[in-house]
Amino acid sequence: VAAWHRHHQPSQGHRFSIGLIDAEGTPMPIPWEGEPRDTIVLELREASRTWTLADIPRAPVLSLLRGFSAPVILETDRSEADLALLARLDPDPFARWDAVQETAHRHLQARIEADRDGGPGPAPGMLLDIWRAALEDEQLSPAYRARLLALPAVREVIDRGEPMDPRAAVAAWTHIRKTLGARLADPWRATYDDLADDGGPYSPDPVASGRRALRNLALDNLLAGQAPDAVELALAQYRQARNMTESLGALTALLQHAPQAAADPLADFHARWRDNPLVLDRWFGAQASAPGCTVAAVRALMALPDFSLRNPNRARAVVFRFCLDNPGNLHTPEGYDFWAEQVLALDALNPEVAARLSRAFDNWARHEPVTRAGMQAALRRVLDAPDLSRNVREIVSKALAA
């Protein structure tokens, strides 16, 4: 086992746990300090180090960072077959989740590259097998499956790109989500039905919360895959919901995949919760982050009587959610103008909030040329503005100097 620090070597080093499984997914004990262990802890204090594991009877597959034993970003050359095995059978929950995420990331990046080069995209068979196995594994808790079956966040996919290409990442992510929803419609529907509200009293405990989270994820995938009755399911869930997790989950899924059917639930939710500012923030945020929310649509949200840029929470719910969680619409000429306008408007009202929004373009130089030029022009527009606060000026000038 060889490990090294790629960027910098922390003074205290890193301790991380590893294990081995065989080709059937069976744990392989590791002889360590005089006794066999399923998991061992290694410590990397130097720039690089190699450990030799002796007396391993058959070819192993390495399970890394077990128990989230080190807060690091891991880069490995593990094969797709090894990752698929870990994603289906690793007994360590974190290592299995990490393998699922890495498999999805690799598939998404391959899809982005294929779209860029005009070639065929990667076959989704491996992803479908992993998702199906997790969906049908009743030994896994609903809460864990909800985590395991969620695709990596779009922001993470964008950050993995070399160069970063937000619109291509959104297109690839959307395509894969539709594929997983459509090709696995039957197990998603079975999962959704199995987790129906049993009519008992509401409970915030982890088991009940996990069931609600997985049911919302199943509904989201059914809508993404355009299942014939998915819109009706979402509308029924909204109408029959006995808690906000279910009602907001249905509303958010409709906004993501069937906005034409969301008008009545949106109006109903607003009428119910307009006097609760924190809940209304969720209503605003679900709309601002939806893929159908263009710059014109987010400006319309800001024109509502319930919106005020002077309210930091409301600004975060609308402006921040659009700029940070809606890359498909942010990364347009209109989106760059909107970001610059809002940084300057917030800077006149609340420089600390404006400084946080200005960090959204910190990594502009890593983007593909068209995106990079638009982000750079927006940064320069902010920097050239008179009476800019010290914090925003420092952040933007450092970003441009990168």
Side-chain angles (χ1 to χ4, degrees), residues 294-323:
T294 61
V295 172
V298 78
R299 290 190 189 279
L301 283 176
M302 295 174 68
L304 294 176
D306 296 302
F307 180 83
S308 171
L309 200 62
R310 294 180 180 277
N311 181 329
N313 286 340
R314 196 58 45 86
R316 294 185 187 99
V318 179
V319 176
F320 278 62
R321 287 297 302 276
F322 179 85
C323 293

Side-chain angles (χ1 to χ4, degrees), residues 269-277 280 305-306 314:
F269 195 96
H270 182 268
R272 289 188 189 188
W273 298 104
R274 64 179 304 167
D275 295 327
N276 188 318
L280 201 58
D306 296 302
R314 196 58 45 86

